[in-house]
């Protein structure tokens, strides 16, 4: 309602609020950058604390957790996202090139928000209309978090197994459904999934002891789940564009570089057409033509300067010339009249 109201007020009030929000957004991104720059120190301290309390053997345990998560996410990409790309018949190499940079950016920063501008720009360049990319990708950051949901499900089961609690299949299904709802909106904040996990363990009657192990390696798992979130949202925007029949539409084709207009294509001369143009009409065309003009010689087209062409035919002021000269002028006129 606040955003709708901004669109209905005067320009002065609208401009003030837009500038204020833009400044606030820049400040918040700077705060996130400061936290992210300090994050490696915090991760190192967490690992040191875990090793000091539980010994080096604890690293082997959390190593299995990390391997399980990465294998699960890789299988999700290969068995779910890749078949969708193939079924929609997207050019695979171009798709990988489009999603590669945002994927790596999200993997390095552990924040989907930092990869949002690049993701939208790359998908528009890939062929997704601007209105679809601007709607699907941001809303997917709240409702389409496959990587975070998979991570939370694995982490909950891990915390339960650490303390010797076995959950039934029905309880696991309930946990997954709960995670699908509680994980919404965590993509914008690095390691926000850890807070969701903390609250879910309390509501599921699972001791929080396992969180001490996860804390030491949560940064490494956050990188993987965040990058998969971004990949899924970019794929979703392309699928919606394909579904709506707007993928690589006429607007996208018109924006592509190195597109030569059809009117610039030189037609092949018709040797059977002996219609000749008046020499004074052709001579006026020479004076108003571009610096380079084609002249037809037999079966081949060559490029000469206008001055050389004009000097070649400067003496041809008589309308009745030989048929050869008429055929040459006739071919030129038919091609560029």
């Amino acid at each position: 309602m606040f955003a709708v109201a901004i669109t209905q007020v005067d320009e002065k009030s609208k401009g003030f609020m837009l500038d204020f929000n833009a400044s606030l957004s820049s400040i918040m991104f700077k705060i996130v950058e400061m936290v992210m720059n300090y994050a490696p120190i915090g991760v190192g301290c967490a690992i040191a604390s875990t090793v000091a309390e539980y010994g080096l053997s604890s690293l082997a345990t959390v190593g299995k957790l990390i391997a399980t998560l990465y294998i699960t996410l890789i299988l999700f990409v290969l068995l779910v996202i890749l078949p969708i790309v193939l079924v929609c018949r997207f050019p695979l190499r171009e798709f990988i090139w489009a999603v590669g940079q945002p994927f790596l950016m999200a993997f390095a920063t552990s924040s989907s928000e930092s990869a949002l501008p690049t993701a939208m720009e790359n998908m528009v360049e890939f062929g997704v209309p601007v209105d679809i990319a601007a709607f699907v990708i941001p809303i997917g950051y709240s409702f389409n978090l496959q990587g975070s949901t998979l991570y939370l499900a694995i982490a909950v089961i891990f915390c339960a197994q650490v303390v010797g609690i076995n959950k039934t299949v029905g309880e696991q299904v309930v946990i997954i459904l709960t995670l699908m709802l509680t994980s919404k909106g965590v993509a914008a904040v690095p390691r926000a999934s850890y807070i969701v996990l903390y609250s879910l363990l309390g509501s599921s009657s699972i001791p929080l002891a396992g969180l001490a192990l996860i804390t030491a390696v949560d940064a490494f798992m956050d990188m993987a789940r965040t990058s998969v979130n971004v990949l899924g949202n970019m794929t979703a925007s392309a699928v919606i564009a394909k579904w709506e029949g707007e993928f690589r539409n006429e607007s996208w084709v018109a924006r592509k570089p190195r597109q030569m207009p059809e009117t610039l294509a030189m037609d092949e001369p018709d040797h059977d057409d002996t219609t000749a143009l008046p020499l004074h009409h052709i001579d006026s065309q020479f004076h108003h033509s571009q610096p380079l003009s084609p002249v037809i010689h037999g079966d081949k087209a060559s490029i000469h300067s206008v001055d050389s062409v004009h000097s070649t035919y400067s003496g041809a002021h008589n309308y009745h010339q030989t048929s050869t000269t008429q055929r040459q002028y006739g071919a030129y006129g038919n091609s560029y009249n």
Side-chain angles (χ1 to χ4, degrees):
M1 293 177 64
F2 182 76
V4 173
I6 289 180
T7 64
Q8 299 178 1
V9 298
D10 58 278
E11 292 297 329
K12 182 179 179 180
S13 301
K14 181 190 301 184
F16 174 79
M17 290 307 303
L18 292 179
D19 293 339
F20 173 79
N21 289 328
S23 301
L24 181 62
S25 177
S26 300
I27 294 172
M28 294 306 300
F29 273 112
K30 183 60 65 174
I31 293 176
V32 172
E33 181 182 354
M34 295 167 59
V35 174
M36 290 169 56
N37 290 335
Y38 188 77
I41 299 177
V43 172
C45 294
I47 294 176
S49 175
T50 301
V51 173
E53 184 174 356
Y54 298 100
L56 289 175
S57 59
S58 61
L59 295 181
T61 303
V62 295
K64 295 178 182 179
L65 173 64
I66 296 175
T68 302
L69 176 64
Y70 274 76
I71 292 174
T72 302
L73 294 178
I74 291 174
L75 290 176
F76 176 79
V77 172
L78 295 179
L79 300 180
V80 178
I81 294 182
L82 181 59
I84 291 175
V85 173
L86 297 178
V87 168
C88 293
R89 297 184 179 180
F90 296 131
L92 186 58
R93 181 176 299 179
E94 297 180 22
F95 178 80
I96 295 175
W97 182 264
V99 303
Q101 183 180 1
F103 181 89
L104 294 177
M105 186 178 298
F107 186 85
T109 62
S110 300
S111 174
S112 302
E113 196 74 17
S114 62
L116 177 60
T118 306
M120 294 177 60
E121 292 175 0
N122 285 14
M123 294 315 295
V124 171
E125 181 67 21
F126 179 63
V128 178
V130 177
D131 52 350
I132 294 180
F135 176 79
V136 175
I137 296 180
I139 201 173
Y141 274 32
S142 295
F143 298 99
N144 189 32
L145 304 175
Q146 307 99 327
S148 296
T149 303
L150 290 173
Y151 158 75
L152 291 172
I154 294 174
V156 169
I157 301 302
F158 171 81
C159 291
Q161 291 178 347
V162 165
V163 295
I165 297 177
N166 294 322
K167 293 291 185 179
T168 63
V169 176
E171 291 175 331
Q172 295 180 27
V173 172
V174 172
I175 290 175
I176 293 176
L177 294 177
T178 304
L179 290 172
M180 293 177 62
L181 297 176
T182 58
S183 63
K184 307 309 177 187
V186 302
V189 182
R191 281 168 288 282
S193 299
Y194 188 80
I195 306 301
V196 176
L197 178 61
Y198 180 88
S199 60
L200 183 62
L201 291 178
S203 61
S204 301
S205 300
I206 299 176
L208 303 179
L211 285 178
L213 296 174
I214 295 180
T215 303
V217 294
D218 182 71
F220 302 104
M221 295 186 290
D222 196 13
M223 297 163 65
R225 64 177 180 258
T226 301
S227 57
V228 172
N229 289 339
V230 174
L231 176 61
N233 290 324
M234 297 179 70
T235 304
S237 65
V239 171
I240 295 298
K242 189 79 171 183
W243 188 1
E244 295 294 328
E246 295 293 332
F247 180 71
R248 295 192 172 182
N249 53 19
E250 297 179 357
S251 300
W252 180 85
V253 175
R255 291 196 311 268
K256 293 297 291 181
R258 301 178 183 178
Q259 290 288 336
M260 296 294 293
E262 296 181 359
T263 55
L264 297 181
M266 185 171 63
D267 300 332
E268 292 292 334
D270 188 1
H271 297 289
D272 295 332
D273 189 1
T274 57
T275 304
L277 292 178
L279 294 183
H280 67 275
H281 176 69
I282 300 174
D283 190 69
S284 64
Q285 288 187 351
F286 286 155
H287 284 290
H288 296 85
S289 60
Q290 300 294 328
L292 294 179
S293 299
V295 177
I296 308 301
H297 295 286
D299 295 334
K300 298 181 179 180
S302 60
I303 305 297
H304 299 286
S305 65
V306 174
D307 295 335
S308 62
V309 175
H310 186 266
S311 61
T312 303
Y313 295 101
S314 59
H317 297 292
N318 187 3
Y319 181 79
H320 301 286
Q321 281 192 333
T322 61
S323 59
T324 303
T325 305
Q326 291 179 352
R327 288 174 60 84
Q328 291 179 351
Y329 281 124
Y332 177 85
N334 291 336
S335 298
Y336 287 90
N337 188 14

